[in-house]
Amino acid sequence: MTEPRAARPALDLDDLADGVRHGRRAAVSRAITLVESTRTDHRVAARELLGRLSGFEARSARTSTTTGNAVRVGVSGVPGVGKSTFIERLGTQLTADGHRVGVLAVDPSSVRTGGSVLGDKTRMGALAHDPDAYVRPSPAAGTLGGVARATVQAMAVLEAAGYDVVLVETVGVGQSEVTVAGMVDTFLFLTLARTGDQLQGIKKGILEIADVIAVNKADQDHEGEAREAARDLAGALRMVGGHDEWSAPVVTCSGLTGDGVREVWDRVLAHRDHLGAEGLARKRAAQQLDFAWALVRDELADRLRRSPGVAAVRDDVRRRVLDGELTAPVAADLVLEAYDADRGVTP
Ligand code: GDP
């Protein structure tokens, strides 16, 4: 991988912004690499780049109704449920309809281990080669907050580059779904045919954040089964109740054959219609506020890691806590004092 050029003098940032605005793939890739970088100088450059790109969006909003207004959709489900097959099918249909489709991934396994459940580059071959689509493998390992920051900013890059649909894929594990739900307009949950007791396996929390649910792999001999499961799920959902005066529709589809994929997309658009322009703007504004605080927390955690004062006491505090000499609250106070002292703050 080459280093992002924006790490060099400011002129290159202009180049990069220009390339992104013209939808040049190499520029889009470099810009996303830049926003994914955890290096402090890259983060500064990334912020500057995004400022330029959003300035462009603000200006063009007067003349264009699409720029900066991409349809942002999260796609989630357990490994093997068929997310990448589905996204490939949906993405191909959308580009055939004249859309430009960007695909990003938030992969909790890469957060921990540097490995990937989502399998990256080998996936979505056809879509990855579609000139109207851009498929980005998940960012390298980092914190979930860091990966989320990168993904939100990568989404902004894609939108500035003229992608009017952005699909954010994530695995149905823990916090990553909630994180993704917090950055998209509509959250689509893919599941497999499960009935009765198996329904318990679907976490209640998921049903609460899902805007559209699709029972996937409704093909071959499993169509009836899938329909039955969809009915059961719809029943279970009625118990949970909806959110934002919207009850998530449950449909069946097959990413493999393409059956029902359009209908899933129709439901996504129906959810958007339900939100309306104002509701969508409010939702995005609230997400921005949450994101702002997430950035603050992320930056503070980073400063704590970089603090020389904390570095100076860290080993000593560690040893004394492990030896039972210090209680956790006292240890925390010592670390915070060392952090504040760095910045000349006296409590
Ligand atoms: P992911 O891990 O959720 O991204 O799932 P994949 O898209 O990689 O699919 C996992 C496996 O299920 C693969 O072997 C696919 O060929 C298969 N698969 C995916 N979608 C469908 C479908 O709609 N019907 C059937 N029968 N198999 C599918």
Side-chain angles (χ1 to χ4, degrees), residues 30-250:
R30 262 203 312 276
I32 295 181
T33 301
L34 181 66
V35 303
E36 284 175 354
S37 174
T38 50
R39 267 175 51 176
T40 308
D41 56 334
H42 287 173
R43 286 172 69 160
V44 172
R47 224 169 298 167
E48 211 167 299
L49 174 72
L50 290 167
R52 286 172 208 212
L53 293 176
S54 66
F56 170 77
E57 277 178 48
R59 277 200 302 282
S60 68
R62 278 184 233 125
T63 51
S64 158
T65 52
T66 51
T67 310
N69 196 27
V71 178
R72 305 172 183 169
V73 180
V75 181
S76 178
V78 295
V81 74
K83 291 178 296 301
S84 50
T85 308
F86 175 88
I87 289 173
E88 172 133 284
R89 174 73 63 173
L90 173 65
T92 308
Q93 286 184 2
L94 290 172
T95 58
D97 291 348
H99 292 286
R100 297 189 69 218
V101 179
V103 180
L104 300 170
V106 171
D107 183 349
S109 66
S110 79
V111 166
R112 283 194 308 272
T113 62
S116 171
V117 172
L118 294 176
D120 290 350
K121 287 182 185 117
T122 51
R123 302 155 67 246
M124 302 179 207
L127 198 58
H129 288 98
D130 186 329
D132 291 316
Y134 182 89
V135 180
R136 181 77 180 182
S138 44
T143 61
L144 184 56
V147 170
R149 173 176 54 77
T151 306
V152 168
Q153 296 184 342
M155 197 147 65
V157 170
L158 288 176
E159 291 184 9
Y163 291 90
D164 63 333
V165 175
V166 179
L167 306 174
V168 184
E169 177 183 9
T170 193
V171 177
V173 185
Q175 189 59 23
S176 63
E177 281 168 322
V178 178
T179 302
V180 169
M183 59 175 84
V184 296
D185 306 327
T186 301
F187 190 80
L188 165 65
F189 180 65
L190 296 182
T191 182
L192 297 174
R194 299 187 196 286
T195 52
D197 286 350
Q198 291 175 307
L199 269 182
Q200 308 286 334
I202 299 176
K203 287 167 285 173
K204 186 164 168 277
I206 292 301
L207 298 184
E208 281 166 356
I209 57 172
D211 299 306
V212 178
I213 298 175
V215 179
N216 194 27
K217 305 198 185 181
D219 51 39
Q220 292 152 16
D221 302 328
H222 305 293
E223 233 182 302
E225 217 179 304
R227 281 188 209 296
E228 194 184 332
R231 267 195 305 276
D232 283 1
L233 251 177
L237 267 174
R238 274 193 292 277
M239 315 267 276
V240 178
H243 52 270
D244 305 326
E245 294 168 12
W246 168 259
S247 48
V250 186

